[in-house]
Amino acid sequence: MTTLKSKLHDDLIAAIRARDELRSATLRLTLAAISKEEVSGKSARELSDDEVQKVIAKEAKKRREAAEAFAQGGRAEQAEREKAEGVLLDAYLPQQLSDDELGAIVAQAVGEAKAAGAEGPRAMGAVMKIVGPKVAGRADGGRVAAAVKQSLAAG
């Protein structure tokens, strides 16, 4: 078992013993999503820590979207639970970049892309290729794309 997956498992056992229903339910669903990912495809395999992290990020994003949908639907109690689950999962992810840090990385990437000759709307793809690996797992893709668009429009 990978170290992140075993940490999730250990935390699940601790949550069950502490009778922490929210934490145990959230970790159970996350471990189930990881197991599902491990058996999907042609053959079963063990996920690396990076792959486990991607599954956790996907699950956290689902919680944020569900919380938004419940809030818009007038189901505040359910929205709060989804938000709490999202916060719980965020603890297992790397620290997210601040807007200033993301802006600095994007500005540097825009400079590199322009130096390579990328101009106009086509520069978006070139900049995203440069920014992607630098912010992997530390910023939501939508946030990164918005920052790149804003930087290209300003520059």
Side-chain angles (χ1 to χ4, degrees), residues 9-29:
H9 195 267
D10 293 344
D11 289 353
L12 171 62
I13 291 169
I16 291 170
R17 286 187 179 142
R19 298 201 188 308
D20 184 346
E21 193 275 328
L22 175 72
R23 181 177 289 276
S24 62
T26 304
L27 293 176
R28 271 194 182 108
L29 287 170

PDB file of all heavy atoms in Angstrom, residues 9-29:
ATOM      1  N   HIS A   9      -6.133   5.063   5.280  1.00  0.00           N
ATOM      2  CA  HIS A   9      -6.668   3.872   5.938  1.00  0.00           C
ATOM      3  C   HIS A   9      -6.526   3.967   7.456  1.00  0.00           C
ATOM      4  O   HIS A   9      -7.474   3.674   8.200  1.00  0.00           O
ATOM      5  CB  HIS A   9      -5.975   2.621   5.393  1.00  0.00           C
ATOM      6  CG  HIS A   9      -6.693   1.362   5.731  1.00  0.00           C
ATOM      7  ND1 HIS A   9      -6.391   0.632   6.846  1.00  0.00           N
ATOM      8  CD2 HIS A   9      -7.727   0.725   5.123  1.00  0.00           C
ATOM      9  CE1 HIS A   9      -7.194  -0.413   6.921  1.00  0.00           C
ATOM     10  NE2 HIS A   9      -8.014  -0.378   5.881  1.00  0.00           N
ATOM     11  N   ASP A  10      -5.345   4.394   7.918  1.00  0.00           N
ATOM     12  CA  ASP A  10      -5.110   4.552   9.361  1.00  0.00           C
ATOM     13  C   ASP A  10      -6.030   5.618   9.955  1.00  0.00           C
ATOM     14  O   ASP A  10      -6.580   5.446  11.047  1.00  0.00           O
ATOM     15  CB  ASP A  10      -3.649   4.921   9.638  1.00  0.00           C
ATOM     16  CG  ASP A  10      -2.687   3.792   9.291  1.00  0.00           C
ATOM     17  OD1 ASP A  10      -3.156   2.637   9.121  1.00  0.00           O
ATOM     18  OD2 ASP A  10      -1.476   4.060   9.162  1.00  0.00           O
ATOM     19  N   ASP A  11      -6.203   6.717   9.209  1.00  0.00           N
ATOM     20  CA  ASP A  11      -7.092   7.787   9.676  1.00  0.00           C
ATOM     21  C   ASP A  11      -8.544   7.316   9.725  1.00  0.00           C
ATOM     22  O   ASP A  11      -9.306   7.732  10.597  1.00  0.00           O
ATOM     23  CB  ASP A  11      -6.966   9.030   8.785  1.00  0.00           C
ATOM     24  CG  ASP A  11      -5.635   9.745   8.977  1.00  0.00           C
ATOM     25  OD1 ASP A  11      -4.877   9.360   9.896  1.00  0.00           O
ATOM     26  OD2 ASP A  11      -5.355  10.677   8.201  1.00  0.00           O
ATOM     27  N   LEU A  12      -8.918   6.453   8.785  1.00  0.00           N
ATOM     28  CA  LEU A  12     -10.273   5.888   8.779  1.00  0.00           C
ATOM     29  C   LEU A  12     -10.495   5.051  10.040  1.00  0.00           C
ATOM     30  O   LEU A  12     -11.517   5.198  10.718  1.00  0.00           O
ATOM     31  CB  LEU A  12     -10.510   5.032   7.531  1.00  0.00           C
ATOM     32  CG  LEU A  12     -11.811   4.225   7.510  1.00  0.00           C
ATOM     33  CD1 LEU A  12     -13.025   5.152   7.542  1.00  0.00           C
ATOM     34  CD2 LEU A  12     -11.863   3.331   6.282  1.00  0.00           C
ATOM     35  N   ILE A  13      -9.542   4.210  10.365  1.00  0.00           N
ATOM     36  CA  ILE A  13      -9.658   3.369  11.557  1.00  0.00           C
ATOM     37  C   ILE A  13      -9.768   4.243  12.809  1.00  0.00           C
ATOM     38  O   ILE A  13     -10.606   4.007  13.680  1.00  0.00           O
ATOM     39  CB  ILE A  13      -8.470   2.386  11.659  1.00  0.00           C
ATOM     40  CG1 ILE A  13      -8.580   1.344  10.533  1.00  0.00           C
ATOM     41  CG2 ILE A  13      -8.425   1.703  13.017  1.00  0.00           C
ATOM     42  CD1 ILE A  13      -7.357   0.485  10.350  1.00  0.00           C
ATOM     43  N   ALA A  14      -8.948   5.295  12.876  1.00  0.00           N
ATOM     44  CA  ALA A  14      -8.994   6.205  14.028  1.00  0.00           C
ATOM     45  C   ALA A  14     -10.351   6.909  14.105  1.00  0.00           C
ATOM     46  O   ALA A  14     -10.912   7.084  15.191  1.00  0.00           O
ATOM     47  CB  ALA A  14      -7.870   7.233  13.922  1.00  0.00           C
ATOM     48  N   ALA A  15     -10.890   7.310  12.954  1.00  0.00           N
ATOM     49  CA  ALA A  15     -12.192   8.002  12.915  1.00  0.00           C
ATOM     50  C   ALA A  15     -13.316   7.067  13.356  1.00  0.00           C
ATOM     51  O   ALA A  15     -14.239   7.479  14.067  1.00  0.00           O
ATOM     52  CB  ALA A  15     -12.458   8.535  11.517  1.00  0.00           C
ATOM     53  N   ILE A  16     -13.231   5.808  12.949  1.00  0.00           N
ATOM     54  CA  ILE A  16     -14.254   4.829  13.352  1.00  0.00           C
ATOM     55  C   ILE A  16     -14.202   4.625  14.864  1.00  0.00           C
ATOM     56  O   ILE A  16     -15.231   4.622  15.533  1.00  0.00           O
ATOM     57  CB  ILE A  16     -14.060   3.494  12.595  1.00  0.00           C
ATOM     58  CG1 ILE A  16     -14.393   3.679  11.114  1.00  0.00           C
ATOM     59  CG2 ILE A  16     -14.929   2.402  13.205  1.00  0.00           C
ATOM     60  CD1 ILE A  16     -13.997   2.498  10.230  1.00  0.00           C
ATOM     61  N   ARG A  17     -12.997   4.491  15.397  1.00  0.00           N
ATOM     62  CA  ARG A  17     -12.846   4.300  16.845  1.00  0.00           C
ATOM     63  C   ARG A  17     -13.335   5.517  17.623  1.00  0.00           C
ATOM     64  O   ARG A  17     -13.875   5.380  18.722  1.00  0.00           O
ATOM     65  CB  ARG A  17     -11.390   4.012  17.183  1.00  0.00           C
ATOM     66  CG  ARG A  17     -10.974   2.618  16.781  1.00  0.00           C
ATOM     67  CD  ARG A  17      -9.600   2.269  17.259  1.00  0.00           C
ATOM     68  NE  ARG A  17      -9.281   0.903  16.860  1.00  0.00           N
ATOM     69  CZ  ARG A  17      -8.092   0.506  16.464  1.00  0.00           C
ATOM     70  NH1 ARG A  17      -7.086   1.349  16.436  1.00  0.00           N
ATOM     71  NH2 ARG A  17      -7.891  -0.742  16.110  1.00  0.00           N
ATOM     72  N   ALA A  18     -13.131   6.713  17.051  1.00  0.00           N
ATOM     73  CA  ALA A  18     -13.563   7.951  17.717  1.00  0.00           C
ATOM     74  C   ALA A  18     -15.039   8.245  17.447  1.00  0.00           C
ATOM     75  O   ALA A  18     -15.561   9.238  17.929  1.00  0.00           O
ATOM     76  CB  ALA A  18     -12.707   9.111  17.234  1.00  0.00           C
ATOM     77  N   ARG A  19     -15.679   7.395  16.668  1.00  0.00           N
ATOM     78  CA  ARG A  19     -17.086   7.566  16.290  1.00  0.00           C
ATOM     79  C   ARG A  19     -17.330   8.913  15.594  1.00  0.00           C
ATOM     80  O   ARG A  19     -18.354   9.552  15.788  1.00  0.00           O
ATOM     81  CB  ARG A  19     -18.005   7.416  17.490  1.00  0.00           C
ATOM     82  CG  ARG A  19     -17.934   6.038  18.135  1.00  0.00           C
ATOM     83  CD  ARG A  19     -19.160   5.758  18.960  1.00  0.00           C
ATOM     84  NE  ARG A  19     -19.168   4.566  19.773  1.00  0.00           N
ATOM     85  CZ  ARG A  19     -18.903   3.323  19.397  1.00  0.00           C
ATOM     86  NH1 ARG A  19     -18.531   3.070  18.180  1.00  0.00           N
ATOM     87  NH2 ARG A  19     -18.990   2.318  20.240  1.00  0.00           N
ATOM     88  N   ASP A  20     -16.356   9.309  14.760  1.00  0.00           N
ATOM     89  CA  ASP A  20     -16.453  10.542  13.973  1.00  0.00           C
ATOM     90  C   ASP A  20     -17.108  10.180  12.640  1.00  0.00           C
ATOM     91  O   ASP A  20     -16.451   9.763  11.698  1.00  0.00           O
ATOM     92  CB  ASP A  20     -15.054  11.131  13.761  1.00  0.00           C
ATOM     93  CG  ASP A  20     -15.074  12.462  13.043  1.00  0.00           C
ATOM     94  OD1 ASP A  20     -16.119  12.828  12.465  1.00  0.00           O
ATOM     95  OD2 ASP A  20     -14.030  13.146  13.058  1.00  0.00           O
ATOM     96  N   GLU A  21     -18.426  10.329  12.575  1.00  0.00           N
ATOM     97  CA  GLU A  21     -19.207   9.874  11.427  1.00  0.00           C
ATOM     98  C   GLU A  21     -18.817  10.599  10.146  1.00  0.00           C
ATOM     99  O   GLU A  21     -18.649   9.976   9.100  1.00  0.00           O
ATOM    100  CB  GLU A  21     -20.705  10.064  11.725  1.00  0.00           C
ATOM    101  CG  GLU A  21     -21.620   9.342  10.740  1.00  0.00           C
ATOM    102  CD  GLU A  21     -21.893  10.160   9.488  1.00  0.00           C
ATOM    103  OE1 GLU A  21     -21.934  11.392   9.558  1.00  0.00           O
ATOM    104  OE2 GLU A  21     -22.060   9.536   8.417  1.00  0.00           O
ATOM    105  N   LEU A  22     -18.654  11.917  10.199  1.00  0.00           N
ATOM    106  CA  LEU A  22     -18.312  12.697   9.002  1.00  0.00           C
ATOM    107  C   LEU A  22     -16.970  12.250   8.421  1.00  0.00           C
ATOM    108  O   LEU A  22     -16.867  11.941   7.235  1.00  0.00           O
ATOM    109  CB  LEU A  22     -18.260  14.191   9.333  1.00  0.00           C
ATOM    110  CG  LEU A  22     -17.795  15.093   8.194  1.00  0.00           C
ATOM    111  CD1 LEU A  22     -18.878  15.191   7.121  1.00  0.00           C
ATOM    112  CD2 LEU A  22     -17.430  16.470   8.708  1.00  0.00           C
ATOM    113  N   ARG A  23     -15.950  12.187   9.264  1.00  0.00           N
ATOM    114  CA  ARG A  23     -14.612  11.801   8.808  1.00  0.00           C
ATOM    115  C   ARG A  23     -14.598  10.364   8.288  1.00  0.00           C
ATOM    116  O   ARG A  23     -14.040  10.090   7.225  1.00  0.00           O
ATOM    117  CB  ARG A  23     -13.600  11.966   9.940  1.00  0.00           C
ATOM    118  CG  ARG A  23     -12.179  11.615   9.571  1.00  0.00           C
ATOM    119  CD  ARG A  23     -11.219  11.879  10.712  1.00  0.00           C
ATOM    120  NE  ARG A  23     -11.002  13.285  10.956  1.00  0.00           N
ATOM    121  CZ  ARG A  23     -10.113  14.022  10.276  1.00  0.00           C
ATOM    122  NH1 ARG A  23      -9.387  13.475   9.348  1.00  0.00           N
ATOM    123  NH2 ARG A  23      -9.963  15.295  10.553  1.00  0.00           N
ATOM    124  N   SER A  24     -15.231   9.448   9.011  1.00  0.00           N
ATOM    125  CA  SER A  24     -15.193   8.048   8.575  1.00  0.00           C
ATOM    126  C   SER A  24     -15.954   7.863   7.262  1.00  0.00           C
ATOM    127  O   SER A  24     -15.489   7.151   6.372  1.00  0.00           O
ATOM    128  CB  SER A  24     -15.721   7.111   9.660  1.00  0.00           C
ATOM    129  OG  SER A  24     -17.068   7.378   9.958  1.00  0.00           O
ATOM    130  N   ALA A  25     -17.097   8.520   7.098  1.00  0.00           N
ATOM    131  CA  ALA A  25     -17.860   8.399   5.855  1.00  0.00           C
ATOM    132  C   ALA A  25     -17.077   8.980   4.681  1.00  0.00           C
ATOM    133  O   ALA A  25     -17.017   8.379   3.595  1.00  0.00           O
ATOM    134  CB  ALA A  25     -19.210   9.103   5.988  1.00  0.00           C
ATOM    135  N   THR A  26     -16.447  10.127   4.898  1.00  0.00           N
ATOM    136  CA  THR A  26     -15.669  10.783   3.834  1.00  0.00           C
ATOM    137  C   THR A  26     -14.477   9.924   3.428  1.00  0.00           C
ATOM    138  O   THR A  26     -14.219   9.728   2.234  1.00  0.00           O
ATOM    139  CB  THR A  26     -15.183  12.171   4.303  1.00  0.00           C
ATOM    140  OG1 THR A  26     -16.317  12.939   4.705  1.00  0.00           O
ATOM    141  CG2 THR A  26     -14.445  12.896   3.204  1.00  0.00           C
ATOM    142  N   LEU A  27     -13.750   9.405   4.417  1.00  0.00           N
ATOM    143  CA  LEU A  27     -12.579   8.583   4.108  1.00  0.00           C
ATOM    144  C   LEU A  27     -12.975   7.262   3.454  1.00  0.00           C
ATOM    145  O   LEU A  27     -12.270   6.777   2.559  1.00  0.00           O
ATOM    146  CB  LEU A  27     -11.755   8.338   5.375  1.00  0.00           C
ATOM    147  CG  LEU A  27     -11.076   9.588   5.953  1.00  0.00           C
ATOM    148  CD1 LEU A  27     -10.366   9.266   7.253  1.00  0.00           C
ATOM    149  CD2 LEU A  27     -10.118  10.195   4.948  1.00  0.00           C
ATOM    150  N   ARG A  28     -14.104   6.689   3.868  1.00  0.00           N
ATOM    151  CA  ARG A  28     -14.585   5.456   3.222  1.00  0.00           C
ATOM    152  C   ARG A  28     -14.851   5.698   1.739  1.00  0.00           C
ATOM    153  O   ARG A  28     -14.450   4.909   0.888  1.00  0.00           O
ATOM    154  CB  ARG A  28     -15.872   4.976   3.883  1.00  0.00           C
ATOM    155  CG  ARG A  28     -15.660   4.060   5.027  1.00  0.00           C
ATOM    156  CD  ARG A  28     -16.978   3.369   5.404  1.00  0.00           C
ATOM    157  NE  ARG A  28     -16.757   2.528   6.539  1.00  0.00           N
ATOM    158  CZ  ARG A  28     -17.203   2.789   7.764  1.00  0.00           C
ATOM    159  NH1 ARG A  28     -17.904   3.864   8.007  1.00  0.00           N
ATOM    160  NH2 ARG A  28     -16.954   1.963   8.751  1.00  0.00           N
ATOM    161  N   LEU A  29     -15.565   6.794   1.435  1.00  0.00           N
ATOM    162  CA  LEU A  29     -15.876   7.112   0.040  1.00  0.00           C
ATOM    163  C   LEU A  29     -14.602   7.368  -0.766  1.00  0.00           C
ATOM    164  O   LEU A  29     -14.502   6.951  -1.920  1.00  0.00           O
ATOM    165  CB  LEU A  29     -16.799   8.335  -0.046  1.00  0.00           C
ATOM    166  CG  LEU A  29     -18.246   8.095   0.365  1.00  0.00           C
ATOM    167  CD1 LEU A  29     -19.003   9.421   0.466  1.00  0.00           C
ATOM    168  CD2 LEU A  29     -18.940   7.180  -0.631  1.00  0.00           C
TER     169      LEU A  29
END
